Amino acid sequence: MIKKTLKYLGIILLSVIVLLAIYIAFNFTYLKRIVTSNGTEQVRSVEWYEPKVEMKAATQPKEINNIPNNSSAMTEQYAEAIQYAEDVNSSAFLIWQGGELILDKYWAPYNKENYTQTHSIHKSLLSMLVGIAIDEGKITSIDDPASKYIDDWIEQPLGQISVKNLLTMTSGLGEKEPASFFLFSQFMRLLNDPDISAVARSLPQKVEPGSEFEYINTNPQLLVDVLESATGKSYETYLQNKIWSKMAANSGYLWMDRKEGTPHGYCCLMAQPEDLLRIGLLVLNKGKINGEQVVPKSWIEDAIAPSEMNPNYGYLMWRGTPYVKQRKYSASGPFTALHSEPYIADDVIFFDGFGGQRVYIIPSRDLIIVRVGETRMDFDDSIIPNRVISSLDAKKVKEEASQHHKFTLGMIDTTIKADHTDTLDIQVTYPANSQGEFPLIVFSHGNFLTANAYHQLIDTWVKKGYVVAAPTHLDAGGFEAGSQARKEHGSDWLTASRVLDMQVTANQISTILEDTENFKGQVLTNKYIAAGHSYGALAAQILGGASLQVQGDSSRNIPNSLKDDRVVGVVAFSPPGVMENRLTAKAWTTMDTPQLVITGTKDVLPPFWPNYEMHKVSYENALAGENYLLVLNEVDHYFGNLIGRLDHVVNPQKQALQNASDISLHFMQTYMNNNNTIVTPFSDLQLDDFSEVVQFEHR
């Protein structure tokens, strides 16, 4: 009896062993990956990820001005951020700001040539690739049902899942139980299975598409299938051709589920830190690389905008606002990310890789930060960007304070010839006897005036390091001379000639200054600020894209558009509002250049503008996005007797003019320093510091 029992037990044991051997044989890759995984160090053990496919680098990648200043002074300036990066066992920490890599820190044994498995940073790159496919017409619309491109997918009784649902993590797909690391959970299968496409397509619907935010890796993995079907190319080939080979300085690698299989689209891009920085630059530069629009600008803008079900999420990209202390990845999942304090800047965008792999983009500071290293579940998202921004802002305040006393004033009056007029008088005020590059402001005076009436304003700008060039227009020299000019040339030509005066001044400024004995620097001419007062403000706005509404009172052939693409910002003091038979609100609807409109509650000039609200028309009708309005308390058209009408027997409004010049400098410095990026120049503006401000808004 015992022998018989043992015999049966032996048969059962042998059967179990055979079945187990068969199971292991069929699931060898899956089980091997689980058993050999290296935990928190997996992110830096890139040799583990096999098989991999290589994406070739650009033949002539854009330089990142790789001149990091890791001096003791620079290390001290960013000491708090560096210390935190070190505390969480980082391998690399990079800060890029204002066109330069100002710090790159590596911790032994890692260096700039080491690769990191970037986890979900890959998702944000995938988003940009979807944008390209839509722009090329490969994907017809973001609202297309994803099933149009995915064969052999699940039934969708709760509603069709769109491409947009996949991008915004609102597909409604999900397991009945929360995501876990259980051996055969969907999470683990999608990571380790040798057919991850089949795994992704097997996840059932849980709720109606678009009804809730649920961060799951299945969504971007399905987008890989969408892209391959829509483009007719493998994902890795399309990514290499459209982005990587245009951008990267080094090869990148994708982890495949098997040889000739499918890449992981939600994770497992392996790249060097500087190439992660370059991906951030794609967003900062609105999709441009070396002047080429690689990713559509509109796609970048949409991708970083808040999505309907989660204002902290766009198209596979995270947003720092609104503030939440514990950022949940989904309502049902166990994972959260700590933000111990609100971000200092309100425009933080970031690529979030599991356990603290991060690329932060802060357009208002022209700033990108990269941190990669050990996987840390206690990583605090707000510390590094806030400490870096605090250091940058402190440095900027110190530099601006010292600049106030650094520059003494020089001034020349000159006359040049121009195609549109016989001669043009120009007054240039500049920082004297100072080396360096100086940004340019071209200023247009009000009717019947000259630049001499504006030095309370102009000199403030020059003391901060600007060159201010002010042409003298046809209607200058007092009421009688101005009226005669209007009668002789017509209102249309007087307005157009103002704009042409400003363009010619910008064209000739280098020549004007090159023989000026005490001008030791260089003036920047590839971009400039257009500024003006009253009708001069209108001329500046026309340079920024407002239309010149020709009424036909001039015999000259005047183009309707005189926009100058070199103008990066417009500062408009008391711009004219609607004027019967002369100017309608439509004039500003074409204006797309960032502008700051400045007026006051007593800024009236009967019979032209009986109410100061009329000066707001250009702000209210210009294209929304980067328009700013500043209203000052009890301020009139001339700040008392400080600008324009120096002969007024009224009290000077000195504090108000100081507020206006300080805020205008804040605006100008932002737009002169950025490179066609998305910016928010007043994110750190403290209105309490400006006693005369009664209204400040943005649209």
Side-chain angles (χ1 to χ4, degrees):
M1 184 68 179
I2 294 175
K3 288 184 178 181
K4 196 171 187 180
T5 300
L6 290 173
K7 179 179 178 182
Y8 284 134
L9 287 173
I11 292 171
I12 292 171
L13 180 60
L14 180 61
S15 299
V16 169
I17 292 171
V18 170
L19 290 172
L20 184 60
I22 292 171
Y23 178 83
I24 292 173
F26 278 94
N27 294 275
F28 179 75
T29 299
Y30 183 86
L31 294 171
K32 178 186 175 184
R33 287 172 175 171
I34 291 176
V35 169
T36 60
S37 178
N38 195 19
T40 59
E41 279 299 316
Q42 190 71 26
V43 69
R44 298 191 278 207
S45 304
V46 295
E47 65 281 353
W48 181 88
Y49 294 91
E50 291 294 343
K52 290 191 285 283
V53 63
E54 180 182 10
M55 295 183 295
K56 299 290 186 181
T59 53
Q60 292 182 316
K62 179 177 174 60
E63 291 295 326
I64 304 184
N65 290 340
N66 194 355
I67 48 172
N69 184 358
N70 292 331
S71 64
S72 58
M74 188 64 70
T75 302
E76 182 179 350
Q77 181 182 342
Y78 299 102
E80 291 186 34
I82 293 171
Q83 185 59 58
Y84 182 75
E86 184 171 315
D87 290 344
V88 292
N89 293 335
S90 300
S91 49
F93 179 52
L94 282 64
I95 303 174
W96 182 98
Q97 199 275 327
E100 293 181 348
L101 180 61
I102 60 176
L103 186 132
D104 62 344
K105 173 78 174 172
Y106 298 90
W107 284 266
Y110 304 101
N111 57 53
K112 66 184 298 181
E113 295 181 356
N114 285 105
Y115 281 79
T116 298
Q117 196 276 86
T118 59
H119 285 301
S120 292
I121 286 176
H122 187 184
K123 290 183 174 77
S124 301
L125 190 60
L126 167 61
S127 167
M128 290 186 255
L129 202 60
V130 173
I132 293 172
I134 291 174
D135 186 60
E136 292 180 337
K138 307 292 187 184
I139 297 172
T140 310
S141 167
I142 193 173
D143 296 313
D144 277 355
S147 57
K148 176 179 177 180
Y149 307 98
I150 301 176
D151 298 326
D152 303 322
W153 199 10
I154 59 166
E155 295 293 323
Q156 297 177 32
L158 300 180
Q160 284 288 312
I161 298 167
S162 69
V163 172
K164 186 175 184 178
N165 291 145
L166 298 177
L167 285 163
T168 57
M169 297 288 179
T170 59
S171 66
L173 298 171
E175 296 180 290
K176 292 181 180 180
E177 298 298 326
S180 70
F181 287 100
F182 181 70
L183 185 62
F184 292 105
S185 68
Q186 210 266 352
F187 180 95
M188 293 297 285
R189 289 171 57 220
L190 193 63
L191 184 66
N192 297 298
D193 199 275
D195 189 355
I196 56 176
S197 180
V199 174
R201 297 182 193 205
S202 69
L203 191 63
Q205 280 189 310
K206 185 172 70 170
V207 296
E208 180 184 354
S211 64
E212 71 175 27
F213 178 86
E214 183 82 8
Y215 185 94
I216 55 173
N217 292 328
T218 299
N219 290 328
Q221 192 59 50
L222 287 168
L223 284 171
V224 172
D225 287 355
V226 169
L227 282 167
E228 291 192 333
S229 172
T231 65
K233 296 184 181 297
S234 68
Y235 174 79
E236 60 271 22
T237 299
Y238 196 59
L239 178 56
Q240 173 178 282
N241 292 348
K242 298 300 178 181
I243 298 180
W244 203 263
S245 65
K246 298 175 183 289
M247 172 203 72
N250 308 282
S251 292
Y253 297 89
L254 299 175
W255 184 32
M256 309 292 287
D257 57 0
R258 64 189 184 279
K259 287 185 178 180
E260 308 297 327
T262 302
H264 292 74
Y266 65 90
C267 76
C268 312
L269 163 71
M270 282 151 272
Q272 294 181 9
E274 282 194 13
D275 283 329
L276 298 180
L277 175 59
R278 285 180 165 87
I279 301 173
L281 279 169
L282 255 181
V283 172
L284 188 66
N285 293 332
K286 297 184 181 180
K288 281 188 176 181
I289 301 172
N290 290 336
E292 178 186 357
Q293 195 72 51
V294 173
V295 183
K297 176 184 175 182
S298 59
W299 182 265
I300 297 294
E301 291 170 345
D302 290 343
I304 64 176
S307 56
E308 185 177 351
M309 299 308 298
N310 187 347
N312 290 115
Y313 204 70
Y315 297 164
L316 305 180
M317 298 185 195
W318 288 94
R319 296 165 35 84
T321 53
Y323 172 65
V324 287
K325 186 170 184 178
Q326 291 286 347
R327 174 167 53 92
K328 290 182 69 69
Y329 289 93
S330 66
S332 61
F335 301 118
T336 63
L338 173 64
H339 302 247
S340 62
E341 57 194 41
Y343 289 107
I344 292 173
D346 64 2
D347 60 342
V348 175
I349 306 298
F350 57 101
F351 309 155
D352 176 345
F354 183 66
Q357 319 312 313
R358 294 290 191 272
V359 178
Y360 298 98
I361 303 110
I362 303 98
S364 61
R365 302 308 198 279
D366 202 13
L367 174 66
I368 299 173
I369 306 166
V370 176
R371 181 272 170 186
V372 293
E374 180 183 281
T375 300
R376 296 291 297 245
M377 301 308 295
D378 60 347
F379 186 80
D380 188 333
D381 252 309
S382 57
I383 288 182
I384 284 178
N386 276 359
R387 300 304 176 266
V388 171
I389 291 171
S390 293
S391 298
L392 279 171
D393 287 355
K395 182 183 180 210
K396 180 179 178 182
V397 168
K398 185 176 180 181
E399 287 176 346
E400 288 180 354
S402 65
Q403 275 188 357
H404 183 77
H405 303 287
K406 178 179 179 181
F407 298 116
T408 56
L409 305 184
M411 188 176 74
I412 60 168
D413 290 289
T414 188
T415 302
I416 65 171
K417 291 187 178 297
D419 291 339
H420 71 287
T421 186
D422 293 333
T423 59
L424 177 63
D425 294 334
I426 302 173
Q427 185 178 95
V428 183
T429 312
Y430 54 87
N433 300 312
S434 297
Q435 303 283 344
E437 292 183 327
F438 300 102
L440 173 65
I441 301 170
V442 180
F443 183 83
S444 178
H445 59 72
N447 275 356
F448 318 135
L449 303 168
T450 69
N452 287 324
Y454 292 92
H455 276 286
Q456 290 278 2
L457 177 63
I458 289 172
D459 291 358
T460 302
W461 291 339
V462 176
K463 287 176 182 177
K464 293 293 187 178
Y466 284 83
V467 170
V468 180
T472 301
H473 303 304
L474 285 172
D475 58 0
F479 179 79
E480 187 175 336
S483 299
Q484 180 60 36
R486 186 174 301 278
K487 185 181 297 184
E488 181 180 344
H489 299 286
S491 296
D492 288 346
W493 178 246
L494 283 185
T495 305
S497 67
R498 280 175 168 268
V499 182
L500 295 172
D501 289 348
M502 296 176 78
Q503 288 181 333
V504 169
T505 299
N507 294 341
Q508 296 294 321
I509 188 65
S510 294
T511 304
I512 292 169
L513 287 173
E514 67 182 0
D515 295 324
T516 303
E517 185 176 347
N518 64 345
F519 182 69
K520 307 296 184 183
Q522 289 182 317
V523 61
L524 299 174
T525 57
N526 62 322
K527 56 184 176 180
Y528 67 94
I529 297 291
H533 174 241
S534 196
Y535 272 102
L538 176 61
Q541 290 173 327
I542 291 170
L543 280 174
S547 62
L548 176 60
Q549 295 187 317
V550 177
Q551 304 298 320
D553 65 355
S554 171
S555 60
R556 302 174 189 252
N557 184 18
I558 303 173
N560 188 253
S561 175
L562 289 169
K563 181 180 179 182
D564 189 339
D565 289 334
R566 294 173 296 174
V567 175
V568 295
V570 172
V571 177
F573 283 81
S574 305
V578 172
M579 296 179 64
E580 188 176 357
N581 298 324
R582 295 298 314 161
L583 203 57
T584 69
K586 187 178 179 181
W588 293 282
T589 58
T590 56
M591 184 177 175
D592 58 359
T593 301
Q595 75 161 339
L596 171 64
V597 172
I598 300 172
T599 186
T601 57
K602 288 192 174 180
D603 191 357
V604 296
L605 205 62
F608 304 110
W609 306 293
N611 189 310
Y612 87 90
E613 299 277 353
M614 298 181 73
H615 295 293
K616 296 181 180 181
V617 173
S618 58
Y619 162 75
E620 293 166 344
N621 287 277
L623 295 177
E626 295 178 286
N627 277 293
Y628 300 87
L629 172 68
L630 172 66
V631 181
L632 298 160
N633 187 42
E634 298 290 303
V635 168
D636 64 22
H637 201 64
Y638 304 108
F639 286 80
N641 59 6
L642 296 178
I643 65 171
R645 295 292 299 275
L646 309 185
D647 57 339
H648 269 199
V649 185
V650 293
N651 292 325
Q653 297 161 357
K654 291 183 179 179
Q655 189 58 52
L657 185 60
Q658 186 64 55
N659 285 180
S661 60
D662 287 346
I663 291 172
S664 67
L665 278 163
H666 200 126
F667 172 85
M668 293 188 294
Q669 286 165 351
T670 298
Y671 285 101
M672 286 300 295
N673 290 337
N674 93 87
N675 296 307
N676 297 320
T677 60
I678 306 163
V679 299
T680 51
F682 299 106
S683 59
D684 59 346
L685 186 69
Q686 299 295 321
L687 289 180
D688 291 343
D689 296 338
F690 299 95
S691 59
E692 303 303 313
V693 175
V694 294
Q695 182 182 0
F696 185 82
E697 62 181 66
H698 163 247
R699 62 177 292 273

